Amino acid sequence: MRKIAITGLSGTIGTVFLRNYTSQDEIWDLYHSKPDRSLDRQIHLDLSTCTQIDSTLTQINPDIIIHMAAITHIDTCENDKKNGIQGRVWQINVHATDAIAQYCERTGTFLLFLSTECVFDGKTGRYTEHAPTSPINWYGVTKEAA
C-alpha cells in the first residue's frame, strides 16, 4: 500500500478524484480550510509557510504527492498582482510548489503536479506539454513560474 499526500482535494479536480479513486492506498488530505470528512487521514497545511510544508511532509513521509492546490480565482490573482513575488498568490502558487518539489527531490518522492491551460495565450490551441507558454494573466504567470 502506497502513502499518497494530496493538496487541493476540496477543489473541483480533487472532488472528482476522490469520487473515482478505488485503490486501497493510504490517502492523506493536506487541507487548508476544508478537510474531506470521508478520509481518516487529514492534516492542516498552510501552503504559505514553506517550513510547515517540509515538516508536514516529513511527518507523513509519503510515497507520492499529488499537488493540485493553488489560488485559482482569476480576479483574486489579478488583485494580488500589484504585490508581485511578495504577494500571497505568488507565495502559494510558486513558492509552495517549489518547496514541495524540493522535498520530493531530496527524498525521492514521486510528484504529480497539476497546472493549468492558463499558461497559454489561446492563440493557437492544441497545446502539448512542451509547447511554448505565453500567459495573459497573473494566475497564468504564477503557474508558469511554478
Side-chain angles (χ1 to χ4, degrees):
M1 178 178 358
R2 297 169 298 189
K3 194 182 297 186
I4 304 173
I6 306 175
T7 67
L9 275 175
S10 65
T12 302
I13 296 172
T15 302
V16 172
F17 172 86
L18 275 181
R19 190 177 326 127
N20 294 289
Y21 194 75
T22 58
S23 178
Q24 297 302 312
D25 293 321
E26 182 179 307
I27 303 291
W28 281 82
D29 178 11
L30 306 180
Y31 71 93
H32 179 256
S33 59
K34 295 183 271 185
D36 187 295
R37 301 284 183 214
S38 70
L39 295 173
D40 295 332
R41 295 169 191 88
Q42 305 158 343
I43 190 165
H44 178 262
L45 179 61
D46 181 356
L47 289 174
S48 67
T49 308
C50 289
T51 55
Q52 185 189 6
I53 293 169
D54 193 75
S55 64
T56 299
L57 293 175
T58 299
Q59 176 185 344
I60 296 170
N61 190 28
D63 301 299
I64 299 168
I65 297 172
I66 301 174
H67 180 42
M68 298 183 282
I71 297 177
T72 60
H73 190 269
I74 300 298
D75 291 340
T76 300
C77 293
E78 286 303 308
N79 288 334
D80 195 54
K81 181 179 181 177
K82 65 185 175 293
N83 298 313
I85 65 171
Q86 302 304 317
R88 182 162 173 75
V89 172
W90 192 274
Q91 185 65 40
I92 301 296
N93 293 0
V94 180
H95 290 308
T97 301
D98 183 54
I100 291 168
Q102 285 184 35
Y103 172 87
C104 290
E105 184 174 41
R106 186 176 72 254
T107 61
T109 303
F110 180 82
L111 173 62
L112 175 61
F113 170 57
L114 279 70
S115 190
T116 176
E117 77 277 3
C118 288
V119 298
F120 303 111
D121 59 18
K123 292 179 180 174
T124 61
R126 297 204 150 307
Y127 297 102
T128 65
E129 184 175 350
H130 301 288
T133 56
S134 181
I136 60 172
N137 56 41
W138 189 240
Y139 171 61
V141 169
T142 64
K143 294 301 279 189
E144 176 188 44

